[in-house]
Amino acid sequence: MTLSITPVDAAGIDNLAQGLSGFVDETQELQQSMMTTLFIAGASDASDGRCSYLLLDDGSRMWVPNSLRCWLVDVSIKTQQYQSFDPVEKLCIRVTASDGTTYVYRVGFDSWTATSFLTQLSHMTRQQLADQVTITLRPKGRATFVDVSYCEGGSFHRVQLPESAFTGEKLGYDDKLDAISYVNGTAQDNDDSPIIEAQVSESQEEEPFEVPPEEIDELLEEIRKPKRARRKSATA
């Protein structure tokens, strides 16, 4: 990154450094994180049936195709803090797309989508979890469900769930934690894997690929937070 210097005052006494080696700009990191987070929401006419979107830095949504070919990296639980609301837990599934881009699927931990995600992943073998997969979001009413296909013999096969998996109920908290532990036992090996790096396609995959408004507002507010004005010292 190239070093740039931005004057804060007209006299040029105080300046802001951008791109200084070794220093981390948290605002830029947050903005970059938001632009690679796939927020899962219910499909609508406005989204043309698509179920997830990337939040751009101007607050607009860019809806992406429902299928993404990728490698699983890890699954985690994040707690979203609000100023005026109770904290909410989010399920985050980090993946590496076939073009090398890292995305994070983000959805409410207590949602049907989270149950669908974890049910699919927990019924895959460790070999299937370690190989490339295709994640497909499927809208059903106001909910969004997930299909996962694994690669075997040069083609993709949809994960087949046993009858016992169709209970009509969401997974319990402990069951979700067990599923996360199982997936992370293998999927984390895919982080920075040289095998994945070698298999990343040079041609980007176009075919592959509700967050509450208050959450979007808070995230954008953090990104756009103005720099604190420089206090003028009193003259003697």
Side-chain angles (χ1 to χ4, degrees):
M1 183 179 296
T2 304
L3 172 64
S4 63
I5 300 175
T6 304
V8 177
D9 60 277
I13 297 175
D14 290 311
N15 303 273
L16 298 178
Q18 300 289 341
L20 188 60
S21 178
F23 288 88
V24 177
D25 188 327
E26 295 181 354
T27 300
Q28 288 185 354
E29 280 200 337
L30 176 60
Q31 185 171 352
Q32 181 62 29
S33 173
M34 297 307 303
M35 294 179 66
T36 56
T37 297
L38 291 166
F39 295 94
I40 300 177
S44 64
D45 292 338
S47 69
D48 195 26
R50 297 181 175 189
C51 302
S52 65
Y53 61 86
L54 296 168
L55 184 63
L56 304 182
D57 57 358
D58 62 355
S60 60
R61 302 177 181 183
M62 183 171 69
W63 296 88
V64 299
N66 286 335
S67 293
L68 175 65
R69 186 166 295 178
C70 58
W71 288 268
L72 292 168
V73 177
D74 59 34
V75 182
S76 61
I77 305 172
K78 304 293 184 183
T79 301
Q80 177 67 51
Q81 302 287 345
Y82 299 99
Q83 293 182 351
S84 306
F85 302 91
D86 292 334
V88 177
E89 289 186 322
K90 302 290 184 179
L91 179 69
C92 297
I93 298 97
R94 186 159 59 111
V95 301
T96 299
S98 56
D99 68 347
T101 304
T102 295
Y103 294 101
V104 178
Y105 283 99
R106 180 186 174 99
V107 67
F109 191 65
D110 191 41
S111 66
W112 278 107
T113 308
T115 286
S116 183
F117 244 125
L118 294 175
T119 298
Q120 291 277 330
L121 298 179
S122 63
H123 283 86
M124 298 173 65
T125 67
R126 294 191 178 278
Q127 181 61 46
Q128 291 166 356
L129 288 169
D131 289 339
Q132 195 177 43
V133 301
T134 298
I135 295 174
T136 302
L137 304 180
R138 299 196 182 280
K140 186 175 182 180
R142 298 181 62 182
T144 299
F145 293 87
V146 181
D147 284 338
V148 178
S149 298
Y150 59 91
C151 184
E152 186 176 282
S155 59
F156 285 87
H157 309 271
R158 182 177 170 182
V159 173
Q160 299 298 317
L161 300 178
E163 289 288 338
S164 58
F166 299 96
T167 63
E169 298 179 353
K170 296 178 183 177
L171 291 176
Y173 196 90
D174 289 342
D175 292 331
K176 291 178 182 177
L177 294 182
D178 289 342
I180 291 173
S181 297
Y182 172 73
V183 174
N184 284 343
T186 294
Q188 284 184 344
D189 294 338
N190 286 338
D191 194 11
D192 298 326
S193 168
I195 298 177
I196 292 178
E197 184 176 354
Q199 294 183 25
V200 166
S201 173
E202 294 182 0
S203 58
Q204 297 186 1
E205 296 283 343
E206 295 296 338
E207 176 62 23
F209 293 96
E210 176 109 335
V211 175
E214 60 271 11
E215 180 174 346
I216 295 177
D217 291 341
E218 289 196 10
L219 292 169
L220 288 173
E221 182 181 354
E222 182 68 22
I223 293 173
R224 297 170 175 171
K225 187 178 296 181
K227 298 289 188 297
R228 182 177 298 176
R230 174 174 169 265
R231 181 180 299 175
K232 295 183 178 179
S233 58
T235 57

